[in-house]
Amino acid sequence: MLKITVSASSKTGMVRDHNEDAVLVSHQVARDSDLNTSVFLDSDERYVVAVCDGLGGQNAGEVASMDAVEQLMKRVDTLRTGLSPDHVAKLMHEWVKDEHAYLNESGIDEPSMEGMGTTLVGMLFYEGNIFWMNCGDSRLYRFRNEVLCQISEDHSLMQITHKPEDAHIITNCLGGGGEDAFIDFNDVTNEVLEGDVFLLCSDGLTDMLTDEEIEALLLKGADASTLTDAAVQNGGLDNVSVCQITINS
């Protein structure tokens, strides 16, 4: 049996007039709210957490992020039992294609939603296996032995040009009008250790706080709400969302 403790928080920030982020914790969604829970997972159960950041500067980013978390929840609920890790990965890659197409088609049918899209970073616990997934530039970090380390890779133009000014030009997302979308999906079951803390976050956190500042707050016992508050207090130029997952056996 695996115990996971989840702390989630999503805030609008100081500049934007509404929140385009959405945080999924199993069957609950946080937007302008906090969630805290602990669960024990048997080897036949599944559980998903995710952070979605609706594309700023596009139409209906808040619609795209909410649809993505809701459809992710439904897809996880409908996964058959007894799937191999490879089969789970195949089905999740297919879901990304489906969700990408749906968001793009919604923009065609409704002009107010044209170009809407969202990032997605998440963790899936399925029948004793642990996976992480990423599409876009929201991030997954691991905090282990008092050291914070970024696990996901940003899908941004900076990864190609190596120019810091290109960091916010994303090259992959759900929707957004692009022809295709993909997801990094990794089985980390054998890499997770007792006491590991995983941090899922929108760039509203990492734009306002350096990795060193986030690490220092975690060393002081910060939860998700403490981290989002710190980002808001440091300028809050964007919506900010965090999901913090602590692993215990």
Side-chain angles (χ1 to χ4, degrees):
M1 182 175 289
L2 180 72
K3 179 185 179 183
I4 60 173
T5 301
V6 182
S7 172
S9 180
S10 180
K11 295 183 171 68
T12 300
M14 299 296 290
V15 175
R16 297 185 183 274
D17 61 5
H18 66 286
N19 193 345
E20 295 183 315
D21 291 358
V23 181
L24 175 67
V25 180
S26 185
H27 294 88
Q28 299 183 79
V29 177
R31 173 178 281 167
D32 292 321
S33 61
D34 297 340
L35 287 172
N36 294 282
T37 188
S38 292
V39 295
F40 291 90
L41 298 178
D42 287 323
S43 59
D44 62 346
E45 293 185 275
R46 75 276 308 273
Y47 196 89
V48 65
V49 294
V51 170
C52 286
D53 179 359
L55 300 186
Q58 297 289 345
N59 294 322
E62 70 280 6
V63 177
S65 62
M66 186 62 73
D67 188 80
V69 295
E70 290 176 347
Q71 295 306 316
L72 176 62
M73 176 184 66
K74 291 178 181 178
R75 177 55 60 97
V76 171
D77 282 347
T78 57
L79 290 174
R80 299 193 307 276
T81 60
L83 296 174
S84 69
D86 285 345
H87 200 169
V88 172
K90 179 177 182 293
L91 292 173
M92 294 309 300
H93 283 290
E94 290 175 355
W95 173 77
V96 166
K97 301 290 187 185
D98 292 343
E99 181 65 11
H100 179 68
Y102 171 77
L103 292 176
N104 279 341
E105 289 166 5
S106 297
I108 294 172
D109 296 337
E110 176 51 61
S112 66
M113 297 183 182
E114 182 178 2
M116 72 173 177
T118 183
T119 69
L120 182 149
V121 62
M123 293 188 72
L124 170 62
F125 301 81
Y126 171 84
E127 297 188 354
N129 292 296
I130 304 173
F131 307 89
W132 68 261
M133 64 191 91
N134 179 54
C135 177
D137 65 349
S138 292
R139 290 181 178 178
L140 169 69
Y141 289 88
R142 184 189 64 214
F143 184 60
R144 175 188 289 174
N145 296 329
E146 301 186 341
V147 176
L148 185 70
C149 177
Q150 182 178 344
I151 301 299
S152 63
E153 180 178 287
D154 296 351
H155 299 159
S156 73
L157 188 59
M158 189 177 75
Q159 300 303 316
I160 300 171
T161 66
H162 305 291
K163 296 178 179 179
E165 60 267 27
D166 292 334
H168 288 295
I169 302 174
I170 62 173
T171 55
N172 181 42
C173 66
L174 299 174
E179 291 185 5
D180 199 8
F182 66 90
I183 193 168
D184 294 334
F185 192 84
N186 295 274
D187 182 354
V188 292
T189 307
N190 296 323
E191 302 172 22
V192 175
L193 301 181
E194 169 85 12
D196 278 351
V197 178
F198 291 94
L199 200 68
L200 314 177
C201 63
S202 64
D203 61 3
L205 179 74
T206 52
D207 284 349
M208 295 295 98
L209 300 172
T210 65
D211 288 3
E212 292 75 17
E213 289 171 327
I214 297 170
E215 181 181 86
L217 287 168
L218 292 172
L219 286 168
K220 295 177 181 178
D223 63 5
S225 186
T226 303
L227 291 170
T228 55
D229 281 343
V232 171
Q233 292 164 7
N234 215 34
L237 299 180
D238 196 358
N239 310 142
V240 54
S241 296
V242 173
C243 189
Q244 182 177 322
I245 307 158
T246 304
I247 305 294
N248 299 106
S249 57

